[in-house]
Amino acid sequence: MQESIENKKLSHLNAAGEAQMVDVSGKTPTLREAIASGQVRMKVATFEAIVGGNAPKGDVLGTAKIAGIMAAKQTAQLIPLCHPLPLHKIEVQITPDAELPGYQIQATVTTKAETGVEMEALTAVSVAALTLYDMAKALDKSIQIEAIRLLSKTGGKSGNYRAD
Amino acid sequence: MQESIENKKLSHLNAAGEAQMVDVSGKTPTLREAIASGQVRMKVATFEAIVGGNAPKGDVLGTAKIAGIMAAKQTAQLIPLCHPLPLHKIEVQITPDAELPGYQIQATVTTKAETGVEMEALTAVSVAALTLYDMAKALDKSIQIEAIRLLSKTGGKSGNYRAD
Amino acid sequence: MQESIENKKLSHLNAAGEAQMVDVSGKTPTLREAIASGQVRMKVATFEAIVGGNAPKGDVLGTAKIAGIMAAKQTAQLIPLCHPLPLHKIEVQITPDAELPGYQIQATVTTKAETGVEMEALTAVSVAALTLYDMAKALDKSIQIEAIRLLSKTGGKSGNYRAD
Amino acid sequence: MQESIENKKLSHLNAAGEAQMVDVSGKTPTLREAIASGQVRMKVATFEAIVGGNAPKGDVLGTAKIAGIMAAKQTAQLIPLCHPLPLHKIEVQITPDAELPGYQIQATVTTKAETGVEMEALTAVSVAALTLYDMAKALDKSIQIEAIRLLSKTGGKSGNYRAD
Amino acid sequence: MQESIENKKLSHLNAAGEAQMVDVSGKTPTLREAIASGQVRMKVATFEAIVGGNAPKGDVLGTAKIAGIMAAKQTAQLIPLCHPLPLHKIEVQITPDAELPGYQIQATVTTKAETGVEMEALTAVSVAALTLYDMAKALDKSIQIEAIRLLSKTGGKSGNYRAD
Amino acid sequence: MQESIENKKLSHLNAAGEAQMVDVSGKTPTLREAIASGQVRMKVATFEAIVGGNAPKGDVLGTAKIAGIMAAKQTAQLIPLCHPLPLHKIEVQITPDAELPGYQIQATVTTKAETGVEMEALTAVSVAALTLYDMAKALDKSIQIEAIRLLSKTGGKSGNYRAD
């Protein structure tokens, strides 16, 4: 299995090992979806303060969701070798997790394009998580952003992917 | 200890629980530094492919560092309630970690301003990590971004902070 | 008539009442046009100063038009739940109105896409108006931006619209 | 009074009538505040749908506020001759007005800088209003943005201003 | 030959001589490529310092390439009347030229769109050149950016172009 | 003289030869000005078409000036290792040059900051030149951007600079 990985090429590096954008002009636009997730772990007291303070207006989570959605639209400006793409849907969900304690974040992005939207989904999760940190950092500087990863990907020639 | 946290207010929420930007106009500009870190975990084969392919030109790590530096300058555009600040230094270091296996990322940001640069350092780490993911995702979609947190913070009225 | 409105759903809110981007991935790209308008009202003396000072070079109106065109291209970065779209034409017209006194602004935007460009046209008008304000505010701080609205919309499944 | 206006110069036009940015390098930074307002008028049924649909989560108004705050930070990128400034506070308030019917929007921006923040406050109001339009346009395309103006301005050499 | 040029219209100016964006909504998307080039001339000692200092890590050239690629994606935000387009490939090459002495820069951009990508390629070259200047300006303020031009263009109704 | 250059270090490269942002936090803000220039060379017929078509409204040159001013404000987003700075004045002048034939562009930027504004002035010239190219490219694809360089720099510890 490692052999097959070694035989693949790092698609962003050309023959000379230099960074390059992958040429997608030979590809056909297809419907594509990517789902990414991550979590924000905090002290119990911080979690309870957010849950409590957040109840009447929902603004902490609402702000983080909006930040995630807007960041997904900035992905190609943030990640040097990403292609600028039209996006058809961006959804960010943030769920309290008393066990963690903290919040679970999941982002779904869809498009019809020549390349996938994994980076858009991962960027949405990352910036939603950073916004949660920002809004709670006066309470707790030890908040940690964890486990940002791709959950699934559909569409495109390379086939579907689903995390274990 | 929890009590003291509960007594603090979520500074981004006003009396009505609505999101707001903290007013820093009464504060004096002071020298401030924040250091954040995170890590990117991948399969052994992916790590070895990057280390190998990267050797001659350093472009994977170089590209991720540049992306992190540029993202730090976009922090106030990404995080809704962050203040736009002049920045005096942004440094991003990416170190291979064969044990992980993967890469350790650390960002240091300094400014002389009325408020701190924690979010700038955390944003630099996050976008550098996303860029690493982007450049290796053709090899390994299970790459995971982990442990993004504030290592230390100096300057400002609220005092210094150092993670355990 | 009110009943039919109540039966429609606020398309940006999901079942739980949370903000979301509308999923347009099932829609077919069609040619779409939106025309929006607005006006900037000012004191007679301010209007005369702009008309007079503007005559030789046209820079006040020219600058406002360019600002409106460029802002239309930023719409998806400004309006959280707007889709990023390719745009095929953006035109901004600014006409003096001695009766007002002030300026009438009209913007036309066209695309071939899965969703419409009303927000792009309204954003172009708004930022052109703000630029007029900015360039004349040294003369008159009481300038008022008024009557920003959609004049017409063609293309797309929801049918054409024309303001009364 | 008109005479005094005519004697002032359009500060954004140089001797040749060309657009230019005002040179503020000779000015001393002072604390400055600007407050701007505007309103969004809609059909009764639209207003009631937003009030009703909005109750549980507050996301329509919350999203518009965040959009206004983030847009204020983009002012110098939108308005060609605005100076890029650090901003110390941005607050956007949106209040239902059953008489209108619709919403009253007010934005307050403060800084310590060589020039004022009127445009930042006006931009925050404009983009919050556009976001309200965007989130309700599926219900009502006749929504109108009205009466965007400067309410007050303090700080700076040109003195304070308060609208009648 | 001048006559034929005079008979063409400046496509960005409408009948009234005002700036406008060309309407491309009647055009069919086709594969398009543009290649642009430019050069950065510097003192011999500066060139040698970059070549020497650059050898182990390649960061000066790597940083300039990344800056050029990212700038190409910002073209429609920088050039007022450019259309926002999806881009399929952006490649920037920087080659040392001991004769100059300095660096030759070449950028290739491809898309499938209604209009061409000449401006994207020229913008990539310009910003890569500016980045080289920035990274060497501590050594040599007399560095000069030269000969930025379109090398070739294929695709689109107006036919192919190749510089002499 | 070469020796002294060789002894200076490439300030953007750290000891390991990696790209980094220069730390300016130990520097005192001082008034700084930078002036940069460049030129756009075109066919005689193109020059005459612009001069003629431009006469009534001045929009080609006006648009290019505005683009240059707005680009200067984006410098830190375009050039990876530039510091984000407040800017106090940006002026772009474009002068017809029948001898060239074409246009001479000059940009002046001032600030009070810890570091200089050479890159802002050079970026303003570059983007104004690209905009001229864009607006005339339907007439003449052989237009060339030339001789972009720093004319002078004042303020800051490294002393003043004036091109020969």
Side-chain angles (χ1 to χ4, degrees):
Chain A
M1 184 176 290
Q2 277 187 209
E3 287 84 336
S4 71
I5 288 179
E6 281 165 2
N7 286 342
K8 288 188 190 179
K9 54 180 185 283
L10 275 168
S11 59
H12 286 303
L13 297 183
N14 66 11
E18 300 171 320
Q20 65 172 358
M21 202 177 199
V22 177
D23 186 355
V24 301
S25 60
K27 299 171 101 175
T28 305
T30 58
L31 283 175
R32 292 158 183 274
E33 181 189 75
I35 305 179
S37 64
Q39 64 190 29
V40 180
R41 184 193 299 270
M42 54 191 64
K43 292 179 183 163
V44 174
T46 312
F47 178 67
E48 289 172 351
I50 295 179
V51 171
N54 191 46
K57 282 279 178 176
D59 267 327
V60 173
L61 303 192
T63 301
K65 277 179 219 169
I66 293 299
I69 290 171
M70 294 181 84
K73 297 191 274 187
Q74 295 283 12
T75 302
Q77 270 72 56
L78 292 169
I79 312 297
L81 304 175
C82 267
H83 297 81
L85 297 176
L87 300 177
H88 287 183
K89 174 189 158 185
I90 307 165
E91 185 177 4
V92 176
Q93 295 177 313
I94 306 181
T95 315
D97 179 344
E99 297 294 304
L100 192 56
Y103 289 89
Q104 300 290 341
I105 304 175
Q106 186 170 312
T108 305
V109 180
T110 64
T111 192
K112 184 175 182 182
E114 291 82 359
T115 186
V117 284
E118 297 98 302
M119 296 317 302
E120 281 76 5
L122 289 160
T123 299
V125 169
S126 298
V127 174
L130 289 167
T131 302
L132 275 182
Y133 186 103
D134 180 49
M135 294 181 82
K137 72 179 193 286
L139 292 180
D140 179 0
K141 286 179 180 44
S142 69
I143 295 168
Q144 186 160 307
I145 300 172
E146 301 175 342
I148 296 181
R149 63 185 186 129
L150 184 67
L151 283 189
S152 70
K153 166 189 181 301
T154 59
K157 201 178 61 181
S158 72
N160 297 346
Y161 170 81
R162 185 167 304 274
D164 306 328
Chain B
M1 186 177 290
Q2 277 186 209
E3 288 85 334
S4 70
I5 288 178
E6 281 164 1
N7 286 343
K8 288 190 191 179
K9 55 179 183 286
L10 274 168
S11 59
H12 286 304
L13 297 183
N14 65 12
E18 301 171 319
Q20 65 172 358
M21 202 177 198
V22 177
D23 186 355
V24 300
S25 59
K27 299 170 101 176
T28 306
T30 58
L31 283 175
R32 292 158 183 275
E33 181 189 75
I35 305 178
S37 64
Q39 64 189 31
V40 180
R41 184 192 300 271
M42 55 192 63
K43 292 178 183 163
V44 173
T46 312
F47 178 67
E48 289 172 351
I50 296 179
V51 170
N54 192 47
K57 283 280 179 174
D59 268 326
V60 172
L61 303 191
T63 301
K65 277 178 218 169
I66 293 298
I69 290 171
M70 294 181 84
K73 296 191 275 186
Q74 295 282 13
T75 302
Q77 270 72 54
L78 292 169
I79 312 297
L81 304 175
C82 267
H83 296 80
L85 297 176
L87 301 178
H88 286 183
K89 175 188 158 185
I90 307 165
E91 184 176 5
V92 177
Q93 293 176 313
I94 306 180
T95 315
D97 178 343
E99 297 293 306
L100 191 56
Y103 289 89
Q104 301 290 341
I105 304 176
Q106 185 170 313
T108 305
V109 179
T110 63
T111 192
K112 184 176 181 181
E114 291 82 359
T115 186
V117 284
E118 298 97 302
M119 295 317 302
E120 282 75 4
L122 289 160
T123 299
V125 169
S126 297
V127 174
L130 289 166
T131 301
L132 275 182
Y133 185 103
D134 180 48
M135 295 181 82
K137 71 179 193 287
L139 291 181
D140 179 0
K141 288 180 178 42
S142 69
I143 295 167
Q144 187 160 305
I145 299 171
E146 301 175 343
I148 295 180
R149 63 184 186 128
L150 184 67
L151 283 189
S152 69
K153 166 189 182 302
T154 59
K157 200 177 62 182
S158 72
N160 296 347
Y161 170 80
R162 185 168 304 273
D164 306 328
Chain C
M1 186 176 290
Q2 277 187 206
E3 288 83 335
S4 70
I5 288 178
E6 281 165 1
N7 287 342
K8 289 189 190 180
K9 56 178 183 283
L10 276 168
S11 58
H12 286 302
L13 297 183
N14 66 11
E18 300 171 319
Q20 65 171 356
M21 203 177 198
V22 177
D23 186 354
V24 302
S25 60
K27 301 170 101 175
T28 305
T30 58
L31 283 174
R32 293 159 183 274
E33 181 188 76
I35 305 180
S37 64
Q39 63 190 29
V40 180
R41 185 193 298 271
M42 54 192 64
K43 292 178 183 163
V44 175
T46 312
F47 178 67
E48 289 172 352
I50 296 179
V51 171
N54 191 48
K57 283 280 181 174
D59 267 326
V60 173
L61 304 192
T63 302
K65 277 179 218 169
I66 293 299
I69 290 171
M70 294 182 83
K73 296 190 276 186
Q74 295 282 14
T75 302
Q77 269 73 56
L78 292 169
I79 312 296
L81 304 175
C82 267
H83 297 80
L85 297 176
L87 301 177
H88 287 182
K89 174 188 158 185
I90 307 165
E91 185 177 5
V92 176
Q93 294 177 314
I94 306 180
T95 315
D97 180 342
E99 298 294 304
L100 191 57
Y103 289 89
Q104 301 290 341
I105 304 175
Q106 185 170 313
T108 304
V109 179
T110 64
T111 192
K112 183 175 182 182
E114 291 81 0
T115 186
V117 283
E118 298 98 301
M119 295 318 301
E120 282 76 4
L122 289 160
T123 300
V125 169
S126 298
V127 173
L130 288 166
T131 301
L132 274 182
Y133 186 103
D134 180 48
M135 295 181 81
K137 72 178 192 288
L139 291 180
D140 179 0
K141 287 179 180 42
S142 69
I143 295 168
Q144 187 159 306
I145 299 171
E146 301 176 342
I148 295 179
R149 63 186 186 128
L150 184 67
L151 283 189
S152 70
K153 165 189 182 300
T154 59
K157 200 177 63 181
S158 73
N160 297 346
Y161 170 80
R162 185 167 303 275
D164 307 328
Chain D
M1 186 177 289
Q2 278 186 210
E3 287 85 334
S4 69
I5 288 178
E6 282 164 2
N7 287 344
K8 288 189 190 180
K9 56 177 184 286
L10 276 168
S11 59
H12 286 303
L13 297 184
N14 66 11
E18 300 171 318
Q20 64 171 358
M21 202 177 198
V22 177
D23 186 354
V24 300
S25 60
K27 301 170 100 175
T28 305
T30 58
L31 283 175
R32 292 158 184 275
E33 181 189 75
I35 305 178
S37 64
Q39 64 190 30
V40 180
R41 185 192 298 272
M42 54 192 64
K43 292 178 184 165
V44 174
T46 312
F47 178 67
E48 289 172 351
I50 295 179
V51 170
N54 191 48
K57 281 281 178 174
D59 267 326
V60 173
L61 303 192
T63 302
K65 276 179 219 170
I66 293 298
I69 290 171
M70 293 181 84
K73 296 190 275 187
Q74 295 283 12
T75 302
Q77 269 72 55
L78 292 169
I79 312 297
L81 304 175
C82 267
H83 297 79
L85 298 176
L87 300 177
H88 287 183
K89 174 189 159 184
I90 307 166
E91 185 177 5
V92 176
Q93 294 177 313
I94 306 181
T95 315
D97 178 345
E99 297 293 305
L100 191 57
Y103 290 89
Q104 301 290 341
I105 304 174
Q106 185 170 313
T108 304
V109 180
T110 64
T111 192
K112 183 174 182 182
E114 292 81 359
T115 186
V117 283
E118 298 98 300
M119 296 316 303
E120 281 76 6
L122 289 160
T123 299
V125 169
S126 298
V127 174
L130 289 166
T131 301
L132 275 182
Y133 185 104
D134 180 48
M135 295 181 81
K137 72 180 193 287
L139 292 180
D140 179 359
K141 287 179 178 44
S142 69
I143 295 167
Q144 187 160 304
I145 299 171
E146 300 175 344
I148 295 179
R149 63 185 185 129
L150 183 67
L151 283 189
S152 70
K153 166 189 181 301
T154 59
K157 199 177 63 182
S158 72
N160 296 347
Y161 170 81
R162 185 167 304 275
D164 306 329
Chain E
M1 183 176 290
Q2 276 187 210
E3 287 84 333
S4 71
I5 288 179
E6 281 164 2
N7 286 343
K8 288 190 190 178
K9 54 179 185 285
L10 274 168
S11 59
H12 286 303
L13 297 183
N14 66 11
E18 300 171 321
Q20 64 171 356
M21 203 177 197
V22 177
D23 186 354
V24 301
S25 60
K27 299 170 103 175
T28 306
T30 58
L31 283 175
R32 292 158 184 274
E33 181 189 76
I35 305 178
S37 64
Q39 64 189 30
V40 180
R41 185 193 298 271
M42 55 192 62
K43 293 179 183 163
V44 174
T46 312
F47 178 68
E48 289 173 351
I50 296 179
V51 171
N54 191 48
K57 282 280 180 175
D59 268 325
V60 173
L61 303 192
T63 302
K65 277 179 218 170
I66 293 299
I69 290 171
M70 294 182 84
K73 296 191 275 187
Q74 295 282 14
T75 302
Q77 269 72 56
L78 292 170
I79 312 295
L81 303 175
C82 267
H83 297 80
L85 298 176
L87 301 177
H88 286 182
K89 175 189 158 184
I90 307 165
E91 185 177 4
V92 176
Q93 294 176 314
I94 306 181
T95 315
D97 179 344
E99 297 294 304
L100 192 57
Y103 289 90
Q104 301 291 340
I105 304 175
Q106 186 171 313
T108 304
V109 180
T110 64
T111 192
K112 184 176 182 182
E114 292 81 359
T115 186
V117 283
E118 298 98 300
M119 295 317 302
E120 281 77 5
L122 289 159
T123 299
V125 169
S126 298
V127 174
L130 289 166
T131 302
L132 275 182
Y133 186 102
D134 180 48
M135 294 180 81
K137 72 179 192 286
L139 291 180
D140 179 1
K141 288 179 178 44
S142 69
I143 294 168
Q144 187 160 306
I145 299 172
E146 300 175 342
I148 295 181
R149 63 184 186 130
L150 185 66
L151 283 189
S152 69
K153 165 189 182 300
T154 59
K157 201 178 63 183
S158 72
N160 296 347
Y161 170 80
R162 185 168 303 274
D164 305 329
Chain F
M1 186 176 290
Q2 279 185 209
E3 287 84 335
S4 70
I5 288 178
E6 281 164 2
N7 287 342
K8 289 188 189 179
K9 55 178 183 284
L10 275 168
S11 58
H12 285 305
L13 297 183
N14 65 12
E18 301 171 319
Q20 64 171 358
M21 203 177 198
V22 177
D23 186 353
V24 301
S25 60
K27 300 169 101 176
T28 305
T30 58
L31 283 175
R32 293 158 183 275
E33 181 189 75
I35 305 179
S37 65
Q39 63 189 31
V40 181
R41 185 193 299 270
M42 53 192 65
K43 291 178 184 164
V44 174
T46 312
F47 179 67
E48 289 172 351
I50 296 178
V51 170
N54 191 47
K57 282 281 179 175
D59 268 327
V60 173
L61 303 193
T63 302
K65 276 179 219 169
I66 293 299
I69 290 170
M70 294 181 84
K73 296 190 275 187
Q74 296 282 12
T75 302
Q77 270 72 56
L78 292 169
I79 312 297
L81 303 175
C82 267
H83 297 80
L85 299 176
L87 300 177
H88 286 183
K89 175 188 159 185
I90 308 165
E91 185 176 4
V92 176
Q93 294 177 313
I94 306 180
T95 315
D97 178 344
E99 298 293 305
L100 191 57
Y103 289 89
Q104 301 290 341
I105 304 175
Q106 186 170 312
T108 304
V109 180
T110 64
T111 192
K112 183 175 182 182
E114 291 81 0
T115 185
V117 284
E118 298 99 300
M119 295 317 302
E120 283 75 5
L122 289 160
T123 299
V125 169
S126 298
V127 173
L130 288 167
T131 302
L132 275 182
Y133 186 103
D134 180 48
M135 295 181 81
K137 72 178 191 288
L139 292 180
D140 179 1
K141 287 178 180 43
S142 69
I143 295 168
Q144 186 160 307
I145 299 171
E146 301 175 342
I148 295 180
R149 64 185 185 128
L150 183 67
L151 284 189
S152 69
K153 166 188 182 303
T154 59
K157 200 178 62 182
S158 73
N160 297 346
Y161 171 81
R162 185 167 304 274
D164 306 329

